[in-house]
Amino acid sequence: MKTYSAKPGEVERKWYLIDAEGIILGRLASKCATILRGKDKPQYTPHVDTGDFVVVVNAEKIRVTGGKELKKEYFRHSGYPGGLKSETLQEALAKHPERVIEHAVKGMLPKTTLGRAQGLKLKVYAGPDHPHAAQQPEKIEMEA
């Protein structure tokens, strides 16, 4: 018997909807990364993008455990001397809650061209509305 290997043309993509209200950030990110990579499918192939699309709504209502709202920091650097900027999780959620989830999921995907392509299938929205109703996303229930 030969081992089955999925071909990029034969992958069927589905759309999933996750409501992030009250869900812990890490558990949400881990579930999203699994679906984006396709590891929940029987035809998973590591070198082929077999994953599905994920739409996350209510990103502003996620939870974190412990005191991470004030302790967890996000850093970026302008490239100039003294150009290090940082903001706490609480500040990031107030300004751009979508980026917090995108950052967490991106950290769980491979750091390759394939991982970047898989990351593009993640759609995150701060509020309850999203423009992907035409794709009829299947709702995934997660425990709060």
Side-chain angles (χ1 to χ4, degrees), residues 122-134:
L122 176 68
K123 316 293 181 190
V124 185
Y125 300 97
D129 301 323
H130 64 88
H132 304 288

Side-chain angles (χ1 to χ4, degrees), residues 20 23 59 75 96:
I23 296 176
F75 296 97
H96 35 74

Side-chain angles (χ1 to χ4, degrees), residues 13-44:
R13 304 218 188 274
K14 290 175 68 179
W15 285 72
Y16 292 101
L17 175 69
I18 300 177
D19 187 358
E21 186 172 356
I23 296 176
I24 296 170
L25 175 62
R27 293 172 195 213
L28 172 71
S30 136
K31 182 69 172 174
C32 290
T34 302
I35 294 169
L36 291 169
R37 291 198 69 197
K39 293 192 93 172
D40 57 339
K41 294 180 170 184
Q43 63 266 26
Y44 169 70

Side-chain angles (χ1 to χ4, degrees), residues 8 19 30 38 42 46 49 58 64 84-85 91 94 121 129 138:
D19 187 358
S30 136
D49 187 2
N58 289 324
V64 288
L84 183 67
K85 308 269 192 205
E91 294 167 347
K121 295 183 305 198
D129 301 323
E138 182 182 315

Side-chain angles (χ1 to χ4, degrees), residues 84-132:
L84 183 67
K85 308 269 192 205
S86 69
E87 64 182 354
T88 63
L89 175 62
Q90 192 174 36
E91 294 167 347
L93 280 172
K95 283 191 232 170
H96 35 74
E98 306 90 6
R99 286 194 217 161
V100 172
I101 293 177
E102 289 169 0
H103 186 270
V105 173
K106 182 181 171 187
M108 296 182 183
L109 293 175
K111 284 33 168 201
T112 61
T113 311
L114 179 63
R116 286 188 289 278
Q118 291 167 341
L120 292 175
K121 295 183 305 198
L122 176 68
K123 316 293 181 190
V124 185
Y125 300 97
D129 301 323
H130 64 88
H132 304 288

